[in-house]
Amino acid sequence: MPVSPDPRRTGSTSAGRSAHTRRIRRAALTALAAAVCLGLTAGGPALATTAPVTGTSQATAPSFQENYRPQVHFTPAKNWMNDPNGLVYYEGEYHLFYQYNPNGNTWGNMSWGHAVSPDLVHWQELPLAIPYEGDQAIFSGSAVVDTDNTSGFGTPDHPAMVAVYTSAYADGRQAQSLAYSTDRGRTWTKYSGNPVLDVGSRAFRDPKVQWYAPTKSWLMTVSMADEHKVEFYSSKDLKSWSHLSEFGPAGAIGGAWECPDLFPLALDGDANRVKWVLVVNINPGGIAGGSAAQYFVGDFDGTTFTADDEGTYTPPTGTVLQGFDGPDYGDWTTTGTAFGDRPVSAAESGVTGVDGAGFVDSFLGNDAATGTLTSPPFAVTADYLDFKVGGGNHPHRSDAVIDPQPAPAGTVLADFEGADYGDWTATGTAFGPGPAQGTLPGQQQVTGYQGNGLVNTFLQGDSTTGTLTSPPFTVDRRYLDFLIGGGHHPSGAEAPTVFELLVDGQVVRNATGSDNEHLYWSSWDLSDLQGRTAQLRIVDQNTEGWGHINVDQVVLSDTRVLPQSIETTVNLLVDGQVVDSATGADSGHLDWASFDLRAYRGKTARIQLVDMNTGGWGHVIADTFTLADRPALSAAQRAHWVDYGKDFYAAVTYENAPRRKRYMIGWMNNWQYGNAIPTSPWRSAQAFPRELALRTIGGKPRLTQQPVRSLNSLRDGDVVTARGVTVRDGSVPLAGGRGDGQALDIDATFALADARRFGLKVRTGPGQETVIGNDAVNQLLYVDRTRSGAVDFNAAFPGVQTAPLAPENGKIHLRVIVDWSSVEVFGGSDGRTAITDQIFPAPDSRGVQLFAEGGSARLDALKLWRLGSYRR
């Protein structure tokens, strides 16, 4: 989204280095980093005329049996899909509109796709509903049935369905517009008076509209994304809107606020005790990283939403190892120049969340320097090390190296040493007639390339665009190694700066710079593409800050080059090894973090702050290291999350559902890697619809959720049961393999014994498993997808997601939906916690196992059903 760019991120040598620069970058933190709910990225709003980066053959009919194709979850036949939109029930049909690219399999050309279902399970895809126009993309929104014909678009006997959506104009402005249908949503007419609500903002989006009966008016809940606010408006006719109030900032604010939804629920099923729930999706800054959906519980009086008072957070007390309030670092030692010789004064900085008079900040006027700051050894005498961290989001990688590496041996596809690009084909003007000879006029110094030449699209600054495509080649080595730098604008962004690998015209790998003029080694594992014909494409479609890309030394090799460290982290070292690490969120705000020290009791440890990054947000901020008996909780950890997985976003609920049920659907993907998941000819699925309730848990009202009951209609064959099975320190196949399958519905109850961890492994096969477990020590539900199949397409994909889950009467209850490329886990008898994760296992990874670690676990009872396709 367009903002005044951080001068340190433009690539220009004239970038300012003053305190004023620091204030700018603090204010612009999320706007410059977020890829938004509607598909916005750091480059700005989508132009409706954006050409798709990839296409899908119109002549190839999808089989719906392609590798990874969901059988239980809705996917379009082909092309890119993201946010669910316009969820409304009308005349026996649940309507699912969604953000859709009619022209390709990555984000772009945003329009509304359309599907309908009689039961929220069996979906029929309909023709495109609301298409993009030449100067306008159709972003997220909602739909209502105008029963009283307040808008005049229909009649009292034949009411119109009215869509309220965000118009994203070519000039960057976002405003709210209307379209209407008088034939059950099959065809749509855009209102001639659009937009109906325009506040002159570039981050004003995602209207959720409902009828509010007490005032006999329409209520709009809409986001001011960059301000972390939700605005409320009222209208009598859907055309003229008046402002009521606003809510926020509150809860998690580590990214843009998007796709809000406000709705009432009866607490504990009591119709006389109604509370209101405000869902606010956030990207980045989710509990598992990247995209997620948080919620607030409170009251709404027709004008204002007031969240329940959760009280002021007080972190645990303990022994302060270092507060950085003195004139120097004391006995902490530095290397390099990033940290200077003393802490930064809180009174002289724009950093927020500082405790005391000083703190550590490796910015020191610019991000050009690197170095470390290391504590003396200390004895681990407490269970946790609590501290505050901020700055850049550049995590520690255990496989990264500090020192530069030579080019690997192999087939050099391009070294860009010639006077021209040879048999590579250029379009546009960004690449010029041939490779650049290093740094271009007006550019910060470019380093890290080899030889004399490289691809460098900083031609005429960042004002030029184009592509550079290789001739076809055969993949005959395991790895593709290359040097890359420049801007961080991923594949599928409105304005990408990206290096792509294409097979059959589809992007199967992509990489981008990190807003840094240094070229770092990167590598793709091509094991699954051996013998295939491929092409490489370098894309620069960005004219904003860091709107260029640098590439050099493209080599097919049997050797994988290791990535070079670009971390900005706080690391915990034990026996000289990094055992835990934390990084910032591209933020000038210090937030609490904590390292679990229990495994290191009695040992000696060190704290090391590391800044190895010279690009945008290439610094780390830290304060107040404290040994404590309890972990300090970040704002994200203290927030309430609809789902704790990586892949549940843009979540909104249905209007007009029968029996006043409240059903929710979320986009089953994450903007961290959404455009890169290895699926074709479609990309992205919607999460399985879930029914919401509000229950009193731990004395507080909390959301609970369960898959809609009509899931039962997909059960195929006899139920598989197991009862009274004890597992000791290992894994055993469930029911002798009778429960194996690619799509499953599992209902299991475990009794606590002495195992530290226990649960289920699904989609198991040679070298593959997705672990769904309970951490009995920490009372956590978790999903481990680090060995779930294809995980190497993006560094943010593999990992372990956790959610709080305390036992109920000594038992742990799990409901699990397994599909060809996902797991959805609902913990607790009432579904009080959920984790939704994509997985990409091999088709023959079909096993289901019980497991226990560190002792024994007992499966009380289990029922398992194989699931058929909703398309049957």
Side-chain angles (χ1 to χ4, degrees):
M1 60 212 70
V3 295
S4 298
D6 182 340
R8 297 173 300 101
R9 299 172 63 113
T10 63
S12 168
T13 58
S14 61
R17 307 298 187 189
S18 65
H20 176 65
T21 300
R22 292 170 65 92
R23 289 192 293 271
I24 291 175
R25 61 108 192 227
R26 311 294 188 200
L29 60 104
T30 47
L32 288 165
V36 305
C37 158
L38 300 165
L40 285 178
T41 61
L47 300 179
T49 54
T50 299
V53 176
T54 62
T56 301
S57 170
Q58 302 297 314
T60 303
S63 68
F64 295 103
Q65 296 294 307
E66 303 94 346
N67 195 21
Y68 309 135
R69 171 73 82 165
Q71 303 298 300
V72 178
H73 298 79
F74 173 77
T75 55
K78 60 186 179 181
N79 296 346
W80 168 268
M81 171 181 69
N82 54 289
D83 306 358
N85 297 154
L87 304 186
V88 67
Y89 179 83
Y90 183 50
E91 292 190 352
E93 292 179 323
Y94 291 94
H95 290 264
L96 167 62
F97 300 92
Y98 46 87
Q99 292 285 279
Y100 185 64
N101 181 359
N103 298 337
N105 201 24
T106 53
W107 185 92
N109 308 294
M110 281 295 96
S111 307
W112 274 27
H114 191 194
V116 294
S117 171
D119 60 1
L120 291 171
V121 173
H122 297 85
W123 294 98
Q124 176 190 3
E125 186 177 353
L126 297 179
L128 188 69
I130 309 176
Y132 70 93
E133 296 176 322
D135 67 340
Q136 179 190 152
I138 311 300
F139 279 4
S140 285
S142 52
V144 297
V145 178
D146 189 9
T147 304
D148 295 332
N149 196 33
T150 63
S151 64
F153 294 146
T155 69
D157 294 333
H158 298 285
M161 290 177 62
V162 181
V164 189
Y165 60 88
T166 296
S167 290
Y169 296 98
D171 63 3
R173 181 169 44 97
Q174 295 181 3
Q176 315 319 316
S177 295
L178 306 179
Y180 60 91
S181 171
T182 56
D183 60 358
R184 298 167 50 242
R186 269 55 181 182
T187 61
W188 290 84
T189 301
K190 293 175 182 174
Y191 174 47
S192 61
N194 283 338
V196 296
L197 182 57
D198 185 353
V199 298
S201 173
R202 291 172 175 254
F204 178 53
R205 52 183 177 263
D206 314 340
K208 177 63 188 293
V209 173
Q210 62 187 286
W211 181 252
Y212 186 69
T215 59
K216 296 183 179 179
S217 59
W218 297 101
L219 172 66
M220 179 192 293
T221 306
V222 63
S223 174
M224 293 294 288
D226 296 345
E227 298 177 24
H228 307 115
K229 291 181 179 180
V230 170
E231 306 286 338
F232 301 102
Y233 288 84
S234 180
S235 174
K236 294 294 185 181
D237 60 3
L238 292 169
K239 300 173 182 176
S240 299
W241 294 90
S242 58
H243 186 258
L244 295 175
S245 64
E246 66 182 25
F247 172 81
I253 56 172
W257 274 22
E258 300 163 341
C259 303
D261 191 5
L262 178 70
F263 51 86
L265 284 175
L267 181 59
D268 298 321
D270 185 349
N272 295 317
R273 300 174 63 206
V274 172
K275 300 287 288 185
W276 286 76
V277 178
L278 176 64
V279 173
V280 179
N281 292 268
I282 181 173
N283 177 69
I287 184 63
S291 316
Q294 67 175 322
Y295 72 93
F296 304 87
V297 180
D299 299 296
F300 182 69
D301 62 5
T303 299
T304 303
F305 172 78
T306 304
D308 290 348
D309 185 4
E310 298 283 345
T312 301
Y313 178 66
T314 302
T317 58
T319 302
V320 177
L321 295 179
Q322 176 62 273
F324 301 108
D325 294 329
D328 54 35
Y329 290 127
D331 50 4
W332 289 48
T333 57
T334 63
T335 65
T337 58
F339 293 91
D341 58 4
R342 61 184 180 276
V344 176
S345 170
E348 298 174 0
S349 77
V351 173
T352 58
V354 177
D355 289 339
F359 64 100
V360 171
D361 188 346
S362 67
F363 182 59
L364 296 184
N366 64 70
D367 280 326
T370 60
T372 65
L373 175 64
T374 307
S375 76
F378 64 92
V380 178
T381 58
D383 288 345
Y384 296 94
L385 177 66
D386 297 338
F387 56 96
K388 286 191 164 184
V389 64
N393 182 9
H394 305 288
H396 171 77
R397 288 185 60 172
S398 59
D399 60 345
V401 297
I402 300 297
D403 298 325
Q405 301 173 83
T411 303
V412 178
L413 298 181
D415 60 9
F416 303 110
E417 291 299 305
D420 56 32
Y421 291 115
D423 51 4
W424 288 54
T425 303
T427 67
T429 57
F431 295 85
Q437 300 297 301
T439 306
L440 293 174
Q443 188 176 25
Q444 294 178 23
Q445 184 178 6
V446 177
T447 56
Y449 63 97
Q450 298 189 355
N452 297 314
L454 76 156
V455 171
N456 180 354
T457 66
F458 194 78
L459 196 64
Q460 301 175 34
D462 282 327
S463 64
T464 53
T465 61
T467 64
L468 181 66
T469 306
S470 77
F473 63 92
T474 300
V475 178
D476 59 1
R477 301 289 184 96
R478 180 171 180 179
Y479 299 102
L480 185 79
D481 301 324
F482 51 93
L483 288 164
I484 190 167
H488 177 67
H489 306 288
S491 182
E494 179 267 326
T497 55
V498 68
F499 185 42
E500 298 174 329
L501 178 69
L502 293 86
V503 175
D504 296 332
Q506 301 295 314
V507 177
V508 296
R509 302 286 191 277
N510 70 89
T512 188
S514 59
D515 293 347
N516 198 319
E517 297 295 15
H518 186 86
L519 280 74
Y520 295 97
W521 280 111
S522 188
S523 183
W524 292 326
D525 188 337
L526 307 183
S527 300
D528 60 324
L529 300 174
Q530 295 300 297
R532 301 289 295 276
T533 299
Q535 284 183 285
L536 296 167
R537 180 169 60 193
I538 306 173
V539 180
D540 177 355
Q541 297 294 343
N542 198 298
T543 60
E544 302 286 338
W546 285 106
H548 62 279
I549 184 169
N550 307 327
V551 177
D552 195 16
Q553 294 295 325
V554 183
V555 183
L556 275 172
S557 177
D558 290 322
T559 301
R560 173 181 177 253
V561 293
L562 297 175
Q564 192 166 344
S565 174
I566 55 171
E567 66 188 277
T568 55
T569 56
V570 176
N571 296 333
L572 177 69
L573 281 68
V574 177
D575 297 329
Q577 301 297 313
V578 176
V579 298
D580 211 339
S581 181
T583 189
D586 290 344
S587 170
H589 178 73
L590 283 160
D591 198 2
W592 284 106
S594 186
F595 291 151
D596 188 340
L597 302 179
R598 288 175 292 179
Y600 314 110
R601 274 277 199 167
K603 292 192 173 186
T604 299
R606 290 177 184 261
I607 303 161
Q608 186 172 70
L609 281 62
V610 181
D611 177 355
M612 289 296 160
N613 198 298
T614 60
W617 285 107
H619 58 279
V620 62
I621 313 171
D623 197 10
T624 317
F625 288 88
T626 305
L627 290 170
D629 293 330
R630 292 183 295 113
L633 303 178
S634 68
Q637 290 172 311
R638 302 194 302 271
H640 306 306
W641 299 97
V642 179
D643 193 293
Y644 287 78
K646 290 282 283 191
D647 296 308
F648 191 78
Y649 188 58
V652 287
T653 64
Y654 270 91
E655 296 300 321
N656 290 15
R659 302 179 302 281
R660 297 185 178 180
K661 296 287 188 178
R662 185 59 61 169
Y663 301 121
M664 173 177 278
I665 295 180
W667 178 47
M668 196 159 63
N669 210 337
N670 191 309
W671 282 114
Q672 286 184 324
Y673 45 73
N675 284 282
I677 62 172
T679 64
S680 179
W682 85 101
R683 188 170 273 124
S684 289
Q686 300 296 348
F688 195 79
R690 50 192 71 179
E691 182 177 347
L692 303 183
L694 199 62
R695 308 290 185 196
T696 301
I697 299 173
K700 301 285 187 179
R702 296 289 182 258
L703 272 183
T704 63
Q705 49 202 311
Q706 295 281 7
V708 296
R709 293 182 181 180
S710 43
L711 171 65
N712 299 355
S713 65
L714 296 183
R715 291 173 176 172
D716 189 7
D718 296 334
V719 62
V720 175
T721 61
R723 186 179 298 275
V725 179
T726 298
V727 184
R728 295 181 178 86
D729 258 333
S731 301
V732 297
L734 175 66
R738 290 185 296 113
D740 294 357
Q742 288 180 275
L744 305 167
D745 181 4
I746 305 173
D747 191 298
T749 302
F750 292 85
L752 294 180
D754 60 353
R756 295 193 310 273
R757 296 183 179 89
F758 58 85
L760 300 165
K761 297 181 179 181
V762 300
R763 300 301 307 270
T764 66
Q768 296 186 358
E769 62 183 17
T770 298
V771 183
I772 301 166
N774 180 74
D775 180 340
V777 176
N778 298 298
Q779 296 192 344
L780 294 172
L781 172 69
Y782 67 92
V783 172
D784 181 346
R785 66 178 183 187
T786 56
R787 302 178 69 230
S788 61
V791 299
D792 70 337
F793 55 86
N794 187 282
F797 185 82
V800 181
Q801 280 64 254
T802 64
L805 183 63
E808 301 170 80
N809 300 316
K811 299 182 185 296
I812 294 293
H813 182 267
L814 302 177
R815 176 77 180 278
V816 182
I817 303 174
V818 181
D819 205 349
W820 285 20
S821 56
S822 65
V823 293
E824 288 179 273
V825 185
F826 302 88
S829 59
D830 51 10
R832 61 186 56 190
T833 196
I835 296 177
T836 298
D837 275 353
Q838 294 180 97
I839 56 173
F840 299 102
D844 57 353
S845 292
R846 297 167 175 257
V848 180
Q849 300 176 358
L850 304 173
F851 80 93
E853 296 177 6
S856 300
R858 176 183 172 85
L859 174 71
D860 266 10
L862 177 144
K863 293 182 179 180
L864 178 149
W865 296 265
R866 293 183 181 87
L867 298 175
S869 172
Y870 73 79
R871 298 177 183 87
R872 294 190 311 190

